[in-house]
DNA sequence: GACCCACAAGGTGCATGCAATTGAGGCGCA
DNA sequence: TGCGCCTCAATTGCATGCACCTTGTGGGTC
């Protein structure tokens, strides 16, 4: 596959981008649970920008389906229905099958190393919080998508993966991710081997099992103070990109 | 398939939504060619709103990949590369296979009627402008997606279909759509018959042939005055939604 | 004639202000 | 006590203003 130009994020300015990334992360780490309120003022205050910018960021996230905007009402973190969650997983399966189909047998050595490093990180984080495990697992898939060098595919996979994460907050029992990690390793192996059919079916069953383990029963809502929750996300630390490169798991 | 609540467009206010719809339509009808400039001022003036709103609309369209935002520069209609166009079609194929898989054998009579009516409309428009033919062909696919009642799927199919439209402006020779119309009829027939495998393969080859007919060679750019181009789109005329929901679907 | 620089104009980046809407608490009344 | 209305604080909807960036252009120099 011929190398292609890297993806350019379609972010308007970048203050907006900073806020979006922070909120996305807060959401997938379940610091912001579905239904959590996101007033423009508080957001602006927390990130040191005006409401205009916060509002714009909320607009972007709404376009991605992570946030719900209701006219004249405070925006909230999206609360997808069970059926929407199932739909998201169905779409995700198709998209990620496409990803591995394009990638099978075409990974460079350094890419393989990067993937392995990421899974190692997942392994190391296994004892940590569920939130981090879930984030890392998701980022593995986004990392894969990135390697296709198809900006559109990256965007869709990321979006739908985030949405799926969101549903985990709602419908999943406490995460047990060990098997998932092994499945990640199996996928890498099949990719390296270049067995297109095999890797597609691996990805399919992997996501399918994640979905069925996840979509079992509703979980209780929780609430804390928005400003507190966002504190650790306010200054965009280490990981400028959603998927940070391997090695070190810990956030500074 | 159990009825589900209808999709709610994630549009913030609705002035923004009006502008988005108008611009989307102008773009897919190729009134706004790739690379066309979209200054916030002119947009605001044309639609009778402030720059703030125009800006917000541009942000949404950028998130959909129809518009490119460059910092401190005038926004332009996106100009996807040939490779991106190919990627978009690949994704589209997978998504629409999913659509027809979900729909096979599950259409109501009125839905079938609606589909047939739409294809008839395509037939009638065959002598008209290419722009209208292309729009109708695209809307057929979006109509199908709508019938899945999966908001997420609708959104992704719509988005990627619009993007594909956009690439037609760039890389396609003048449209010859008769065969496409027949293919649409064949898809409907297979859906009614409920032959899942058949309809998936039909959809696959349909889109594949559209793609290969489309992605042949670059076409010359064209330019006119933005304000003139947008005039017919400024007042949101007949079709408020791009594709109106089928009678039966509407919830509550 | 070609190149370079400085300046002006057009356009975006962002904050702020004001109007409009909503939700909630308090009060009266049955 | 319970229900409904009313008022007010909180919050969004949107326009406008100012600062800054980018680009095109004209004059000066070699």
């Amino acid at each position: 596959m011929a190398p292609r130009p890297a993806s350019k994020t379609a972010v308007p300015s970048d203050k907006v981008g900073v806020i979006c990334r922070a909120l996305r992360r807060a959401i997938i780490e379940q610091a912001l649970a579905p239904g959590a309120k996101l007033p423009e003022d508080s957001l602006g205050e927390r990130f040191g920008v005006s409401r205009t910018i916060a509002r714009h960021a909320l607009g972007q996230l709404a376009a991605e389906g992570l946030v719900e905007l209701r006219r004249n009402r405070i925006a909230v973190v999206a609360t997808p229905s069970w059926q929407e969650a199932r739909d998201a997983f169905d779409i995700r399966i198709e998209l990620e099958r496409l990803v591995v189909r394009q990638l099978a047998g075409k990974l460079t050595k350094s890419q393989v190393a990067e993937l392995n490093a990421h899974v190692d990180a997942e392994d190391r984080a296994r004892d940590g919080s569920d939130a981090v495990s879930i984030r890392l697992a998701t980022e593995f898939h986004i990392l894969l998508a990135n390697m296709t060098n198809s900006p559109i595919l990256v965007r869709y996979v990321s979006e739908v993966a985030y949405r799926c994460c969101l549903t985990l907050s709602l419908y999943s029992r406490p995460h047990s991710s060990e098997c998932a990690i092994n499945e990640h390793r199996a996928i890498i192996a099949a990719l390296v081997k270049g067995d297109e059919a095999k890797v597609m079916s691996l990805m399919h069953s992997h996501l399918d099992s994640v979905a069925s383990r996840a979509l079992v029963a509703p979980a209780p809502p929780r609430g804390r103070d928005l400003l507190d929750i966002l504190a650790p996300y306010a200054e965009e630390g280490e990981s400028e990109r959603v998927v940070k490169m391997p090695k070190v798991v810990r956030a500074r």
Side-chain angles (χ1 to χ4, degrees), chain A:
Chain A
M1 186 191 303
R4 303 184 209 154
S7 116
K8 46 186 181 301
T9 57
V11 162
S13 95
D14 229 357
K15 295 192 179 181
V16 173
V18 169
I19 299 180
C20 283
R21 281 189 288 275
L23 287 180
R24 261 193 292 259
R25 214 175 130 174
I27 291 174
I28 72 169
E29 289 197 352
Q30 308 190 6
L32 285 174
K37 292 183 179 177
L38 302 169
E40 299 174 356
D41 291 335
S42 322
L43 253 40
E45 186 186 343
R46 170 56 70 191
F47 290 97
V49 298
S50 79
R51 279 204 309 123
T52 310
I53 305 305
R55 180 185 189 70
H56 209 86
L58 287 174
Q60 297 295 311
L61 293 172
E64 296 172 20
L66 288 183
V67 160
E68 260 172 54
L69 255 32
R70 306 110 90 206
R71 187 171 177 88
N72 282 317
R73 309 274 315 273
I74 303 180
V76 295
V77 176
T79 308
S81 68
W82 194 92
Q83 184 59 55
E84 283 171 336
R86 185 63 245 181
D87 290 341
F89 267 105
D90 284 342
I91 295 173
R92 183 173 177 183
I93 288 173
E94 298 306 323
L95 290 178
E96 298 221 29
R97 276 165 55 95
L98 183 55
V99 167
V100 293
R101 194 176 85 200
Q102 291 191 5
L103 252 33
K106 303 218 176 71
L107 291 179
T108 66
K109 278 210 178 74
S110 71
Q111 286 177 321
V112 174
E114 193 176 1
L115 288 171
N116 280 321
H118 188 97
V119 180
D120 290 343
E122 289 186 66
D123 236 336
R124 261 176 276 125
R126 205 168 38 182
D127 296 329
S129 72
D130 276 1
V132 173
S133 298
I134 293 181
R135 177 166 63 80
L136 285 174
T138 301
E139 287 177 358
F140 172 80
H141 290 264
I142 296 178
L143 187 55
L144 272 180
N146 259 305
M147 293 179 177
T148 64
N149 273 330
S150 162
I152 312 183
L153 194 48
V154 172
R155 220 179 59 88
Y156 285 157
V157 168
S158 308
E159 246 183 66
V160 81
Y162 284 138
R163 279 172 103 120
C164 288
C165 260
L166 187 58
T167 67
L168 295 187
S169 320
L170 277 174
Y171 303 105
S172 174
R173 295 269 126 255
H175 198 59
S176 74
S177 57
E178 356 185 348
C179 31
I181 294 180
N182 285 339
E183 288 167 14
H184 285 183
R185 292 202 192 278
I187 288 173
I188 297 177
L191 279 174
V192 170
K193 202 168 150 213
D195 187 341
E196 213 173 270
K198 173 79 174 300
V199 73
M200 284 174 74
S201 109
L202 275 178
M203 179 60 89
H204 190 127
S205 56
H206 169 51
L207 289 175
D208 216 40
S209 75
V210 171
S212 51
R213 252 181 294 141
L215 299 180
V216 284
R222 45 169 165 162
R224 264 157 67 204
D225 184 65
L226 175 66
L227 293 184
D228 294 339
I229 292 174
L230 284 180
Y233 297 93
E235 72 288 334
E236 179 165 32
E238 15 48 294
S239 70
E240 168 163 347
R241 317 196 34 162
V242 174
V243 175
K244 74 171 178 301
M245 297 314 141
K247 207 60 171 290
V248 200
V249 174
R250 48 181 263 75
R252 42 161 295 108

